[in-house]
Amino acid sequence: MYPSQPGALEGRHAAGPGMPGQPPRMVGLHTMGGLQGSTPVNALASFVTYVKALEALDKHHFPDEYAIHSDRIKELRPFLRAHGILDVMEIKNPEVAALIGA
């Protein structure tokens, strides 16, 4: 869809220039901090990223950040289940296992 068409830029913003002399790249807002897709690789990579970030946080000193990462992990549960990742992977951290119901 071209930017001149109605609705073409809805939910998008410029992410900065690509190469010199090129126009800014357009990035969907859903890729900025939310789930990026439902492929097994994206679900697993997002899961590992959020779990590592969660484990690095002290939930007593950073309760808001801890809650945000916990919510993101919970959002990934259906994707991990749908792709069979939880069937072949054991969650070692009991707090994380409780978040996804493993």
Side-chain angles (χ1 to χ4, degrees), residues 12-13 15 18 22 35 60 74 81 83 97-98:
R12 294 179 166 236
H13 73 284
Q22 291 183 341
L35 298 178
H60 301 292
K74 289 176 192 174
R81 287 201 191 285
H83 296 300

Side-chain angles (χ1 to χ4, degrees), residues 35-102:
L35 298 178
Q36 296 182 3
S38 64
T39 67
V41 173
N42 284 345
L44 185 58
S46 295
F47 177 75
V48 170
T49 299
Y50 286 118
V51 168
K52 287 188 175 280
L54 185 81
E55 290 177 336
L57 285 173
D58 180 346
K59 66 179 169 183
H60 301 292
H61 286 92
F62 301 101
D64 294 336
E65 292 84 354
Y66 194 90
I68 289 169
H69 291 314
S70 295
D71 289 343
R72 295 284 190 238
I73 291 169
K74 289 176 192 174
E75 289 174 2
L76 288 167
R77 177 181 24 205
F79 298 107
L80 298 172
R81 287 201 191 285
H83 296 300
I85 294 169
L86 296 178
D87 296 334
V88 297
M89 185 171 89
E90 180 182 340
I91 308 299
K92 294 181 179 179
N93 182 322
E95 289 182 42
V96 174
L99 288 173
I100 60 170

